[in-house]
Amino acid sequence: MTETTTRTAPDSGTEVVLPVHTDLLRLATAGSVDDGKSTLVGRLLHDTKSVLADQLDAVHRASADRGLQTPDLSLLVDGLRAEREQGITIDVAYRYFATPQRSFVLADTPGHVQYTRNTVTGASTAQLAILLVDARKGVIEQTRRHAAVLALLGVPRLVLAINKIDMVDFDAAVHERIAAEFAGHARALGYADDAVRTIPVSALHGDNVVERSANTPWYSGPSLLEHLETVPVAPDPFDAPFRMPVQYVIRPRTAEHPDYRGYAGQVAAGVVAQGDEVVVLPAGIRTRVSQVDTPDGPAPRAAAGRSVTLLLEDDVDLSRGDLIAAADSAPRVTDELDATVCWLAEKPLQPGARVLVKHGTRTVQAMVTELSARFDEQELVAVDAPDSLALNEIGRVQLRTAEPLPIDEYAASRRTGSFLVIDPADGTTLAAGLIGLPLAPLAAAVAS
Amino acid sequence: MTAEPQLDLPQDPVSTGAPPQVDNLDALESEAIHIFREVAGEFDRPVILFSGGKDSTVLVHLAIKAFRPAPVPFPLLHVDTGHNFDEVIEFRDRLVAEHDLRLVVSSVQDYIDDGRLAERPDGIRNPLQTTPLLDGITENKFDAVFGGGRRDEERARAKERIFSLRNAFGQWDPRRQRPELWNLYNGRHRPGEHVRVFPLSNWTELDIWRYIQREKIALPEIYYAHRRQVHLRDGMWLTSGPWGGPREGETVEEKVVRYRTVGDGSCTGAVESEAYTVDDVIAEVAASRLTERGATRADDRMSEAAMEDRKREGYF
């Protein structure tokens, strides 16, 4: 599916395969402390030749300084002083590697228990997540919690990497047992069986990371990288109804373009074409798209993910914060949000709190009218009706907004079904908000 | 939804009917344009940090595309170290004139001349940029500062958000970063604080070059192979200029070189290269066994955490 050109680099004598048309896979990693996640990511970068000589030299030097016998590949990715000093990963780090098949943007999220909020960050844009477990420990509380967050945030595909398979003598039975246990959990979270793949790996030695390993003859599937290169990717919801939050109004008012008035935004869902009937929300005005302008000039249509400028047939009053949507399948406009929130701040959520809600390109004042449930983080069953929600907790809230918002269910549209909860006092991001109850277990928990 | 929603979409060449494959450069371009428009919509006084290098040139190209056919609604800020390559200053002035941009210059030389900054014993001026940069931001009341930083450049940058909050001293605190969710960027800040914005966060060096090739973006000539008088220091080919010539024991040779990064002349090295065209450069970058900073930036070699330390101080 990918065209490539082969050419000889000057002076090197080596053949370089250059991708000329390649797609992009956004992925995230999650796992507990000491599962070897940094080593796995280091191994992926190293074995795809994404690590260059000076970086590798630095790792060799730093490993030797620490008295290590072999280079510690986790030093490739642990970037900050405190991390190297404490041997932990503090924050989401982004890694880039490419093969002739694909380019990858990898959000490497720390597994330390108090940093679960970072998993939410990494998962919010991921099309696939790699979840690591230690073959000696199997599926643990942290694994279930991470899987639940990934499911909640709507990450379409999971890979369970059973790491340190060398430490259990490449035992097929261990792999089988962990895979079966995880499959049950994933199914309960709503994942179809073909959306989850289990791969036995040794990040330290490279088994099944890039090359298939001779040490696991009982495993017939692809290596981790082969899977990442070939897994189908649906980058954005193309078949969903059209949505576009308006970011900016472009009005040149120049001699060349005296009357140009375009509404700039990134298509959040679906496809927009010249002549389409659209509705401008929250006002509810109907009009038609007279022109789809792209960064490269007018085009007949544009799909989700593309930044465009729309020109409309009628002279409507429209500004930043409004949403342009398919007229025959418009979102609901309401000032009452029923939502699931992942609380990301030290300061707990309390009913009655006044907050800001950022939805699409609009930020409005809001009040938390009710905190109706807190969900257990592993199974996502409702545990109680709490009086507050603390850091890393997931709950169900009702919010009343000062102005109506055009909203979709998160399960139907990630972009127009999500919002931020912001502290009006200091601007801190307090929570990730998802409209509705995006997972079947949540809905079941609330119903019971 | 129209009747035939996918009729004219780019089709996957093999499996028609599947979602259209989006070229990664299109995806990166759309993401960067989205970021530019968010900032234009939410901030009062944005500015683009412009060095004349390839990343900031790509940044300006994207800004032009984000707002076309209207002009770019914010100025450029160049922190001039005084140790520039002539070709870069000429290029800067040409670009500004051609696209009718506004340019603000903060000069390190002015700070040295009136005693606010002292020349370092090693003559390297990159670390001296921080004060003129922060003063330039404060004096002009810039509240959003676009930088060409990429996360693939360096380990500390890999941890930076696209919207990076800076305190009144321009400092970055990696432990106090906001979670960045979906493409909902939170740019709220208190008076005196500002936000650094990195639209090229997810681009790699190779992406930048492939985009320069695709969009036919002009760059300063020194990015391409040319003959130059150079001397070897710490494994880098330096050129003599206003920052001084070869030291004792360093001999001048003529080499065919090019620059992979453009920074202060005192610490930016050239690499031997026969890459005369953008196609040659792409082949060279794809085959290179050294990162661009490792190969050509003396200031990043100072310590294991050099970039992190400078970022904490308010550097880009």
Side-chain angles (χ1 to χ4, degrees), chain B residues 140-157:
Chain B
N140 292 285
K141 297 189 169 61
F142 292 131
D143 53 0
V145 181
F146 291 104
R150 308 189 319 267
R151 288 171 179 151
D152 80 321
E153 283 180 272
E154 200 275 334
R155 288 185 298 187
R157 281 205 169 150

Side-chain angles (χ1 to χ4, degrees), chain A residues 148-300:
Chain A
V149 170
L150 296 170
L152 182 68
L153 273 285
V155 178
R157 288 172 188 276
L158 297 185
V159 173
L160 184 74
I162 302 182
N163 192 25
K164 307 192 186 182
I165 196 74
D166 54 310
M167 307 281 264
V168 297
D169 300 324
F170 300 100
D171 185 345
V174 171
H175 176 262
E176 201 56 36
R177 179 175 53 74
I178 297 171
E181 185 182 353
F182 185 75
H185 184 60
R187 222 172 280 137
L189 291 170
Y191 280 102
D193 286 352
D194 63 0
V196 181
R197 179 170 279 281
T198 306
I199 304 175
V201 301
S202 167
L204 194 61
H205 302 293
D207 297 85
N208 293 325
V209 176
V210 169
E211 303 289 337
R212 294 188 202 187
S213 171
N215 294 319
T216 53
W218 42 264
Y219 172 73
S220 58
S223 73
L224 178 59
L225 186 67
E226 285 171 343
H227 181 62
L228 297 181
E229 284 179 321
T230 53
V231 66
V233 181
D236 288 290
F238 287 93
D239 50 358
F242 167 66
R243 305 279 186 262
M244 191 189 90
V246 174
Q247 293 186 271
Y248 194 78
V249 182
I250 295 180
R251 293 184 68 193
R253 282 176 278 196
T254 54
E256 206 185 331
H257 301 280
D259 301 320
Y260 187 101
R261 188 183 176 91
Y263 304 99
Q266 189 173 24
V267 180
V271 176
V272 63
Q274 191 177 345
D276 279 1
E277 191 176 17
V278 292
V279 59
V280 175
L281 297 169
I285 303 159
R286 282 175 174 246
T287 180
R288 280 181 191 279
V289 175
S290 58
Q291 188 179 318
V292 179
D293 227 353
T294 75
D296 296 309

Side-chain angles (χ1 to χ4, degrees), chain A residues 313-344:
Chain A
E313 270 179 15
D314 303 297
D315 206 2
V316 290
D317 180 19
L318 213 168
S319 59
R320 176 175 171 84
D322 291 336
L323 182 88
I324 305 178
D328 60 2
S329 188
R332 195 158 55 91
V333 177
T334 175
D335 60 1
E336 294 197 345
L337 308 184
D338 182 356
T340 305
V341 293
C342 304
W343 201 252
L344 307 174

